[in-house]
Amino acid sequence: MIYRIHEKRFWLDEACDAVINYTSLHHRNASQIVCAVGMTPSCPIHFGILREAAIMSFITEELKRKGINTRFIYYWDDYDHFCKIPYFTSKDLVQAQLGNPLTEVQDFTGVYSSYAVHIMRDFEKCLRHLDIFPEYNYQSHQYQSGIYNGCIHTALINRKKIQHILNRTDTESGSDTDSFFPVQVYCPSCGKDTCTVLAYDEEKKDICFRCSCGYSGVYNIEKNFRGKLQWKINWAVRWHMDGVCAEASGENHLCKNGSFHAASRICQEIFGETPPLNIEYKFIGIPGSAKVSGQMGTPVLARTLIDILEPALLRWLLLVHSPDKPFKIDITNGIFALYREWDLFCANVMLTESDSLQRRIYTIASGSSEYHYCGASFSQLVTAVMCSGGDKARALAFSFRISGVTQYSESYQKRFDCAWKYVTQYHPEKKVQIRQTVNMKFSAVCSQELLHAVAVFRQEVAESDCQHTVKQALASAADSVSKKELCRALYNLLISRNDGPPIDSLVSLIGKERVIKLLDI
């Protein structure tokens, strides 16, 4: 059954009630509610996938708060074949490994035991960062250990029924044939899944196959089988084996006659198990694209968000947007707005004494420990990093000067680390170098009106003792020229650029005496 949020109340309450009611009606023997999601580690994972993991994690947490015995499984389909060329490498480098199980593809960085392990560990780190702690189920282990042997045999002896189901739910499928077998077999010679199954001996449990490399052989299901069920059948088997009660899936899997419909019928008609309630969610996008993909590269990877957004902020984003609504995350031009919105939300919650929905959302977003505002805006910390010359200790000292924070805290360090990575790892072009000498080359081409405006600004800064007056100095100096033109001149005179961090923060970092010297034109 597919469940779509109606949004008549807080989506998490609605989803939990739906899961409880569905489980009580259709999983009568369930001693616990099993929630699940899954992913194939075929390429670095984009941040859109965080949504389904977060949805089921929030539901699991809420059910546990209600005193319900709950289990949360994350399935890694790491025994699927390697079929995608990662965006960061070339076809020539990976061509020879296409068709191999993902767990047997080399890690291109040489750090992990396989490519699949690298992808999985990266994403598992992201989930831990968000206080999401599922039970990981590695499908390579399930197949290689023989746990799924009975299900493989059941699928093979019911292959005609399965093919009929697939043909009814997939308009692109052909008619029933004797050549259909619901398994993918890996060749013991070349290691690839380029094998054609020729026959199955139901009594001996032998699979006869031939590979395109020329190898022919026989696998015994109970002894040496090297392969897996096709993915729609595999999906049904997971539900059957673990008694999965609820999942979350993107709208593409839940379309009419789509993958979920086929897997549900296989689960029910072949394995005698009730399929789970599947909560539909819409995709996360970025400006210019309604759906993100790992093929877009580093800027949209899950670890990118983890690096530059505080855990509580990211949990909040995934919580306040109901699954039935798509939304976009602009981490290129909109990250400062995200932090301002989050800080405003937290401030409003702190001013609210009642046990409101906003406070509840705040508590859930905080995760394992209550969130505390560090006292510095993200833009202030980014400015400090931009002007630090790559010196982390100097950047930290600058950040205290700009923000006025006097007490160091764990929350301050977390936000500072996000700002540091935002500049140094993702936007190194934002780094600025404070000039050591007067920029005579630039001042030589300035108009008299602009020179006068700079002089007025310099004088007001010299007579001022507070950062607030810098903004007033800008207003006073911009009588004869536009504020935009004046700021451009100040940036060129102070950091040899046409733009940069806020002028008031920049003046505070450089220091009044040095600013006065650099503006002495």
Side-chain angles (χ1 to χ4, degrees), residues 276-494:
L277 180 73
N278 203 307
I279 299 169
E280 181 186 76
Y281 69 87
K282 304 294 185 180
F283 296 122
I284 298 177
I286 57 175
S289 178
K291 179 185 177 184
V292 296
S293 165
Q295 292 299 321
M296 293 178 179
T298 301
V300 299
L301 295 186
R303 67 169 178 266
T304 303
L305 279 193
I306 298 303
D307 282 341
I308 64 179
L309 294 181
E310 293 172 343
L313 189 164
L314 187 46
R315 281 176 63 94
W316 172 71
L317 275 178
L318 295 166
L319 189 63
V320 296
H321 291 94
S322 178
D324 64 312
K325 297 290 189 296
F327 72 100
K328 295 183 179 182
I329 299 179
D330 183 0
I331 56 175
T332 302
N333 300 311
I335 187 168
F336 300 108
L338 281 177
Y339 269 97
R340 285 194 298 270
E341 189 178 357
W342 166 241
D343 289 345
L344 180 61
F345 172 81
C346 293
N348 288 338
V349 168
M350 293 300 102
L351 293 173
T352 304
E353 296 182 359
S354 61
D355 187 19
S356 65
L357 174 60
Q358 297 301 303
R359 175 166 288 279
R360 184 177 163 212
I361 290 174
Y362 171 85
T363 301
I364 297 172
S366 295
S368 57
S369 59
E370 186 174 358
Y371 175 82
H372 294 283
Y373 175 57
C374 69
S377 71
F378 187 72
S379 61
Q380 288 174 326
L381 300 186
V382 166
T383 296
V385 176
M386 288 169 61
C387 300
S388 67
D391 186 321
K392 200 167 187 178
R394 188 182 185 196
L396 190 60
F398 277 176
S399 70
F400 287 132
R401 187 190 304 175
I402 294 176
S403 64
V405 174
T406 57
Q407 187 171 1
Y408 176 82
S409 64
E410 183 180 351
S411 60
Y412 194 98
Q413 183 65 52
K414 285 182 178 180
R415 181 165 289 195
F416 175 81
D417 287 342
C418 289
W420 177 262
K421 291 176 182 177
Y422 173 74
V423 175
T424 60
Q425 293 185 24
Y426 299 101
H427 294 284
E429 75 283 356
K430 291 183 179 291
K431 294 179 183 178
V432 298
Q433 188 68 43
I434 299 170
R435 288 188 59 83
Q436 299 297 317
T437 59
V438 176
N439 191 345
M440 300 303 296
K441 183 178 179 180
F442 178 80
S443 62
V445 298
C446 290
S447 66
Q448 289 300 315
E449 292 82 6
L450 188 55
L451 291 173
H452 174 72
V454 171
V456 171
F457 178 85
R458 176 176 180 269
Q459 184 64 32
E460 294 232 4
V461 170
E463 295 174 355
S464 167
D465 286 324
C466 66
Q467 189 177 13
H468 172 73
T469 313
V470 173
K471 295 181 180 180
Q472 182 60 45
L474 280 174
S476 300
D479 286 339
S480 55
V481 298
S482 69
K483 185 176 179 180
K484 182 178 181 180
E485 187 179 3
L486 174 59
C487 286
R488 180 177 176 274
L490 293 174
Y491 285 130
N492 274 278
L493 292 168
L494 297 174

Side-chain angles (χ1 to χ4, degrees), residues 212-223:
S212 61
C213 73
Y215 183 90
S216 296
V218 176
Y219 276 136
N220 181 271
I221 294 296
E222 300 291 347
K223 296 178 181 178

Side-chain angles (χ1 to χ4, degrees), residues 215-234:
Y215 183 90
S216 296
V218 176
Y219 276 136
N220 181 271
I221 294 296
E222 300 291 347
K223 296 178 181 178
N224 66 342
F225 178 62
R226 195 165 177 272
K228 66 181 294 294
L229 292 163
Q230 293 179 7
W231 82 278
K232 293 175 186 176
I233 302 100
N234 184 77

